[in-house]
Amino acid sequence: MAVILQVVGLVLGVVSWCLQSSCTSSQVWKVKSQGESVSNSQWTFEGLWMSCAATSLGSVQCSRFKTVLGLPVHLQTCRALMIISLLLGFASIIVSVLGLKCTKIGRASDQVKDQIALSGGVMFILSGVSTLTAVSWYAARVIQDFNDPLYGGVRFELGAGLYLGWAASSLALLGGSMLCCSCRRKNSGPPIRQFLYYSSSGRGQNIYRSAAASDSSSSKAYV
């Protein structure tokens, strides 16, 4: 059962990392509201890195943001969070593969492999939290500007890139949780006590080893 949880968690983590990559490079984090457009033949959409305009004829023109320091704080923070989530996701994939019970790495014990898999699961969870924070913060700003009656700029709506981010974060959190659950520490019984008896004889010193009595035998009383 633990092996199945680890494999499924790793697969979900890999899929989430692919979705995170698509979300980071997507230019459709927000789309210009059609309610303010004079004609429906042109669309404007933006991402983390550039702004694009498309027409009904199929032509798309994109321009990168010319400045970094002049960008809004939430946009710079979302960039950093998405990059961090990609790095954490890539590292967690490698760590999780090394911690699988079905992989052999030298003479690593099962306890060491469980700790490695647990580390990979925690990194998956951190990656999902970073992505979830970025897309949720960006979406909150889009909704706030759209509903603000005093906002004088162009009003945008939520784009497909945000939904990719939410899906990626959900899969990363689920995959990381499955990896962590597969490494639950088993309850070990009480240590077996052994008694050593020494006896000296002419031939030397003999050592007799006796195991501790079981619970059934210890519960009996003799008079």
Coordinates of all heavy atoms in Angstrom, one line a residue, residues 128-185:
G128 N 3.2 23.6 -4.0 CA 1.8 23.9 -4.2 C 1.4 25.1 -3.5 O 0.6 25.9 -4.0
V129 N 1.8 25.3 -2.3 CA 1.4 26.5 -1.5 C 2.0 27.8 -2.2 O 1.2 28.8 -2.3 CB 2.0 26.4 -0.1 CG1 1.8 27.8 0.7 CG2 1.3 25.3 0.7
S130 N 3.2 27.8 -2.8 CA 3.7 28.9 -3.5 C 2.9 29.2 -4.7 O 2.5 30.4 -4.9 CB 5.2 28.7 -3.9 OG 6.0 28.4 -2.7
T131 N 2.5 28.2 -5.5 CA 1.7 28.5 -6.6 C 0.3 29.0 -6.3 O -0.2 29.9 -6.9 CB 1.5 27.2 -7.5 OG1 2.8 26.7 -7.8 CG2 0.7 27.4 -8.7
L132 N -0.3 28.4 -5.2 CA -1.6 28.8 -4.8 C -1.6 30.2 -4.3 O -2.6 31.0 -4.6 CB -2.1 27.9 -3.7 CG -3.5 28.1 -3.1 CD1 -4.6 28.0 -4.2 CD2 -3.8 27.2 -1.9
T133 N -0.6 30.6 -3.6 CA -0.5 32.0 -3.1 C -0.3 33.0 -4.3 O -1.0 34.1 -4.3 CB 0.7 32.2 -2.2 OG1 0.6 31.2 -1.1 CG2 0.8 33.6 -1.7
A134 N 0.5 32.6 -5.3 CA 0.7 33.5 -6.5 C -0.6 33.7 -7.2 O -1.0 34.9 -7.5 CB 1.8 33.0 -7.4
V135 N -1.3 32.7 -7.6 CA -2.5 32.8 -8.5 C -3.6 33.4 -7.7 O -4.4 34.2 -8.3 CB -2.8 31.4 -9.1 CG1 -1.8 30.9 -10.0 CG2 -3.1 30.4 -8.0
S136 N -3.8 33.1 -6.4 CA -4.9 33.6 -5.6 C -4.7 35.1 -5.4 O -5.6 35.9 -5.5 CB -5.0 32.9 -4.3 OG -5.2 31.6 -4.5
W137 N -3.4 35.6 -5.2 CA -3.2 37.0 -5.0 C -3.4 37.8 -6.3 O -4.0 38.8 -6.3 CB -1.7 37.2 -4.5 CG -1.4 38.6 -4.1 CD1 -2.2 39.7 -4.1 CD2 -0.1 39.1 -3.6 NE1 -1.6 40.8 -3.6 CE2 -0.3 40.4 -3.3 CE3 1.1 38.4 -3.4 CZ2 0.8 41.2 -2.8 CZ3 2.1 39.2 -2.8 CH2 2.0 40.6 -2.6
Y138 N -2.9 37.2 -7.4 CA -3.2 37.8 -8.7 C -4.7 37.9 -9.0 O -5.1 39.0 -9.5 CB -2.4 37.1 -9.8 CG -2.3 37.8 -11.1 CD1 -1.1 38.5 -11.4 CD2 -3.3 37.8 -12.0 CE1 -0.9 39.1 -12.6 CE2 -3.1 38.5 -13.2 CZ -2.0 39.1 -13.5 OH -1.8 39.8 -14.7
A139 N -5.4 36.9 -8.8 CA -6.8 36.9 -9.0 C -7.6 37.9 -8.1 O -8.5 38.5 -8.6 CB -7.4 35.5 -8.8
A140 N -7.1 38.0 -6.9 CA -7.7 39.0 -6.0 C -7.6 40.4 -6.5 O -8.5 41.2 -6.4 CB -7.2 38.8 -4.6
R141 N -6.4 40.7 -7.0 CA -6.1 42.0 -7.5 C -7.0 42.3 -8.8 O -7.5 43.4 -9.0 CB -4.7 42.2 -7.9 CG -3.8 42.4 -6.6 CD -4.2 43.6 -5.8 NE -4.1 44.8 -6.6 CZ -3.0 45.6 -6.6 NH1 -1.9 45.3 -5.9 NH2 -3.0 46.7 -7.3
V142 N -7.1 41.3 -9.6 CA -8.0 41.5 -10.8 C -9.4 41.7 -10.5 O -10.1 42.6 -11.0 CB -7.8 40.2 -11.8 CG1 -8.8 40.3 -12.9 CG2 -6.4 40.1 -12.3
I143 N -9.9 41.0 -9.5 CA -11.3 41.1 -9.1 C -11.5 42.5 -8.4 O -12.5 43.2 -8.6 CB -11.7 40.0 -8.2 CG1 -11.7 38.6 -8.9 CG2 -13.1 40.2 -7.6 CD1 -11.9 37.4 -8.1
Q144 N -10.5 42.9 -7.6 CA -10.6 44.2 -6.9 C -10.6 45.3 -7.9 O -11.5 46.2 -7.7 CB -9.4 44.3 -5.9 CG -9.4 45.6 -5.2 CD -8.2 45.8 -4.2 OE1 -7.4 44.9 -4.2 NE2 -8.1 46.9 -3.6
D145 N -9.8 45.3 -8.9 CA -9.8 46.4 -9.9 C -11.1 46.4 -10.7 O -11.6 47.4 -11.1 CB -8.6 46.3 -10.8 CG -7.3 46.5 -10.0 OD1 -7.3 47.1 -9.0 OD2 -6.2 46.0 -10.5
F146 N -11.6 45.2 -11.0 CA -12.8 45.1 -11.8 C -14.0 45.7 -11.1 O -14.9 46.3 -11.7 CB -13.0 43.6 -12.2 CG -14.2 43.5 -13.1 CD1 -14.1 43.6 -14.5 CD2 -15.5 43.1 -12.6 CE1 -15.1 43.4 -15.4 CE2 -16.5 43.0 -13.5 CZ -16.4 43.1 -14.8
N147 N -14.1 45.4 -9.8 CA -15.2 45.9 -9.0 C -15.1 47.3 -8.4 O -16.0 47.8 -7.8 CB -15.5 44.9 -7.9 CG -16.0 43.5 -8.4 OD1 -16.6 43.4 -9.4 ND2 -15.6 42.5 -7.7
D148 N -13.9 47.9 -8.6 CA -13.7 49.2 -8.0 C -14.3 50.3 -8.9 O -13.8 50.4 -10.1 CB -12.2 49.5 -7.9 CG -11.8 50.7 -7.1 OD1 -12.8 51.4 -6.7 OD2 -10.6 51.1 -7.0
P149 N -15.3 51.0 -8.5 CA -15.9 52.0 -9.4 C -15.0 53.2 -9.6 O -15.2 54.0 -10.6 CB -17.1 52.5 -8.6 CG -16.8 52.2 -7.1 CD -15.9 51.0 -7.2
L150 N -13.9 53.4 -8.8 CA -13.0 54.5 -9.0 C -11.8 54.2 -9.8 O -10.9 55.0 -10.1 CB -12.6 55.1 -7.6 CG -13.7 55.6 -6.7 CD1 -13.1 56.0 -5.4 CD2 -14.5 56.7 -7.4
Y151 N -11.7 52.9 -10.3 CA -10.6 52.5 -11.0 C -10.7 53.0 -12.5 O -11.7 52.8 -13.2 CB -10.5 50.9 -11.1 CG -9.3 50.4 -11.8 CD1 -8.1 50.5 -11.3 CD2 -9.5 49.7 -13.1 CE1 -7.0 49.9 -12.0 CE2 -8.4 49.2 -13.7 CZ -7.2 49.3 -13.2 OH -6.1 48.8 -13.9
G152 N -9.6 53.7 -12.9 CA -9.7 54.4 -14.2 C -9.0 53.7 -15.3 O -9.0 54.1 -16.4
G153 N -8.3 52.5 -15.0 CA -7.6 51.8 -16.0 C -8.5 50.8 -16.8 O -9.8 50.8 -16.6
V154 N -7.9 49.9 -17.5 CA -8.6 48.9 -18.3 C -9.0 47.8 -17.3 O -8.2 47.3 -16.5 CB -7.8 48.4 -19.4 CG1 -8.5 47.3 -20.2 CG2 -7.3 49.5 -20.4
R155 N -10.3 47.4 -17.5 CA -10.8 46.3 -16.6 C -10.6 45.0 -17.2 O -10.8 44.8 -18.4 CB -12.3 46.5 -16.3 CG -12.6 47.8 -15.6 CD -14.1 48.0 -15.3 NE -14.4 49.3 -14.7 CZ -14.3 49.6 -13.5 NH1 -13.9 48.7 -12.6 NH2 -14.5 50.8 -13.0
F156 N -10.0 44.1 -16.4 CA -9.7 42.7 -16.9 C -10.5 41.7 -16.1 O -11.1 42.0 -15.0 CB -8.2 42.4 -16.7 CG -7.3 43.2 -17.7 CD1 -6.9 44.4 -17.4 CD2 -7.0 42.6 -18.9 CE1 -6.0 45.1 -18.3 CE2 -6.2 43.2 -19.8 CZ -5.7 44.5 -19.5
E157 N -10.6 40.5 -16.7 CA -11.3 39.4 -16.0 C -10.2 38.2 -15.9 O -9.1 38.3 -16.4 CB -12.5 38.9 -16.9 CG -13.6 39.9 -17.0 CD -14.8 39.4 -17.8 OE1 -14.7 38.3 -18.2 OE2 -15.7 40.2 -18.0
L158 N -10.6 37.2 -15.1 CA -9.7 36.1 -14.9 C -9.4 35.3 -16.2 O -10.3 35.0 -16.9 CB -10.3 35.2 -13.8 CG -10.7 35.8 -12.5 CD1 -11.2 34.7 -11.5 CD2 -9.5 36.5 -11.9
G159 N -8.2 34.9 -16.3 CA -7.8 34.2 -17.5 C -7.5 32.7 -17.2 O -7.6 32.3 -16.1
A160 N -7.2 32.0 -18.3 CA -7.1 30.5 -18.2 C -5.8 30.2 -17.4 O -5.7 29.1 -16.8 CB -7.0 29.9 -19.6
G161 N -4.8 31.1 -17.4 CA -3.6 30.8 -16.7 C -3.8 30.6 -15.2 O -3.1 29.8 -14.6
L162 N -4.7 31.4 -14.7 CA -5.0 31.3 -13.2 C -5.6 29.9 -12.9 O -5.3 29.3 -11.9 CB -5.9 32.4 -12.8 CG -5.4 33.8 -12.9 CD1 -6.4 34.8 -12.5 CD2 -4.1 34.0 -12.1
Y163 N -6.5 29.4 -13.8 CA -7.1 28.1 -13.5 C -6.1 27.0 -13.6 O -6.1 26.0 -12.9 CB -8.2 27.9 -14.5 CG -9.4 28.9 -14.3 CD1 -9.5 30.0 -15.2 CD2 -10.3 28.7 -13.3 CE1 -10.5 30.9 -15.0 CE2 -11.3 29.6 -13.1 CZ -11.4 30.7 -14.0 OH -12.4 31.7 -13.8
L164 N -5.1 27.2 -14.5 CA -4.0 26.2 -14.6 C -3.2 26.2 -13.3 O -2.8 25.1 -12.8 CB -3.0 26.5 -15.7 CG -3.5 26.2 -17.2 CD1 -2.5 26.7 -18.2 CD2 -3.7 24.7 -17.3
G165 N -3.0 27.4 -12.7 CA -2.3 27.5 -11.4 C -3.0 26.8 -10.3 O -2.4 26.1 -9.5
W166 N -4.3 27.0 -10.3 CA -5.1 26.4 -9.2 C -5.1 24.9 -9.3 O -5.0 24.2 -8.3 CB -6.6 26.9 -9.2 CG -6.7 28.3 -8.6 CD1 -6.1 28.7 -7.4 CD2 -7.4 29.4 -9.1 NE1 -6.4 30.0 -7.1 CE2 -7.2 30.5 -8.1 CE3 -8.2 29.6 -10.2 CZ2 -7.8 31.7 -8.3 CZ3 -8.8 30.9 -10.3 CH2 -8.6 31.9 -9.4
A167 N -5.2 24.4 -10.6 CA -5.1 22.9 -10.8 C -3.8 22.4 -10.4 O -3.7 21.3 -9.7 CB -5.5 22.6 -12.2
A168 N -2.7 23.1 -10.7 CA -1.4 22.6 -10.4 C -1.1 22.6 -8.9 O -0.5 21.7 -8.4 CB -0.3 23.5 -11.1
S169 N -1.6 23.6 -8.2 CA -1.4 23.7 -6.8 C -2.2 22.6 -6.1 O -1.7 21.9 -5.1 CB -1.8 25.0 -6.2 OG -3.2 25.3 -6.5
S170 N -3.4 22.3 -6.6 CA -4.2 21.2 -6.0 C -3.5 19.8 -6.1 O -3.4 19.0 -5.2 CB -5.6 21.2 -6.6 OG -6.2 22.4 -6.4
L171 N -3.0 19.6 -7.3 CA -2.3 18.3 -7.6 C -1.0 18.2 -6.7 O -0.7 17.1 -6.2 CB -2.0 18.1 -9.0 CG -3.2 18.0 -10.0 CD1 -2.7 17.8 -11.4 CD2 -4.0 16.7 -9.6
A172 N -0.3 19.3 -6.6 CA 0.9 19.3 -5.8 C 0.7 19.0 -4.3 O 1.4 18.2 -3.7 CB 1.7 20.6 -6.0
L173 N -0.4 19.7 -3.8 CA -0.7 19.4 -2.4 C -1.2 18.0 -2.2 O -0.8 17.3 -1.2 CB -1.8 20.4 -2.0 CG -1.4 21.9 -1.9 CD1 -2.7 22.7 -1.6 CD2 -0.4 22.1 -0.8
L174 N -2.0 17.5 -3.2 CA -2.5 16.1 -3.0 C -1.3 15.1 -3.1 O -1.2 14.1 -2.3 CB -3.5 15.8 -4.1 CG -4.2 14.4 -4.1 CD1 -4.8 14.1 -2.7 CD2 -5.2 14.3 -5.2
G175 N -0.4 15.3 -4.1 CA 0.7 14.4 -4.3 C 1.6 14.4 -3.1 O 2.1 13.4 -2.6
G176 N 1.9 15.6 -2.6 CA 2.8 15.7 -1.4 C 2.2 15.1 -0.2 O 2.9 14.4 0.6
S177 N 0.9 15.2 0.0 CA 0.2 14.6 1.1 C 0.3 13.1 1.0 O 0.5 12.4 2.1 CB -1.2 15.1 1.2 OG -1.3 16.5 1.3
M178 N 0.1 12.5 -0.2 CA 0.2 11.1 -0.3 C 1.6 10.6 0.0 O 1.7 9.5 0.6 CB -0.3 10.7 -1.7 CG -1.7 11.0 -2.0 SD -2.2 10.6 -3.7 CE -2.2 8.8 -3.5
L179 N 2.6 11.3 -0.4 CA 4.0 10.9 -0.1 C 4.2 10.9 1.4 O 4.9 10.0 1.9 CB 5.0 11.8 -0.9 CG 5.1 11.5 -2.4 CD1 6.0 12.6 -3.0 CD2 5.8 10.2 -2.6
C180 N 3.7 12.0 2.0 CA 3.9 12.0 3.5 C 3.1 11.0 4.2 O 3.6 10.4 5.2 CB 3.5 13.4 4.0 SG 4.5 14.8 3.4
C181 N 1.9 10.6 3.8 CA 1.1 9.6 4.4 C 1.8 8.2 4.2 O 1.6 7.3 5.1 CB -0.3 9.6 3.9 SG -1.3 11.0 4.3
S182 N 2.5 8.0 3.1 CA 3.1 6.7 2.9 C 4.3 6.5 3.8 O 4.8 5.3 3.9 CB 3.5 6.6 1.4 OG 4.6 7.5 1.2
C183 N 4.7 7.5 4.5 CA 5.9 7.4 5.3 C 5.6 7.5 6.8 O 6.4 7.9 7.6 CB 7.0 8.4 5.0 SG 7.5 8.4 3.3
R184 N 4.4 7.1 7.2 CA 4.0 7.1 8.6 C 4.8 6.1 9.4 O 5.0 5.0 8.9 CB 2.5 6.8 8.7 CG 1.6 7.9 8.2 CD 0.1 7.5 8.4 NE -0.2 6.3 7.8 CZ -1.4 5.7 7.9 NH1 -2.3 6.3 8.7 NH2 -1.7 4.5 7.3
R185 N 5.2 6.6 10.5 CA 6.1 5.7 11.3 C 5.3 4.7 12.0 O 4.2 4.9 12.6 CB 6.7 6.6 12.4 CG 7.7 5.8 13.3 CD 8.5 6.7 14.2 NE 9.2 7.7 13.5 CZ 9.9 8.7 14.1 NH1 9.9 8.8 15.4 NH2 10.5 9.6 13.4

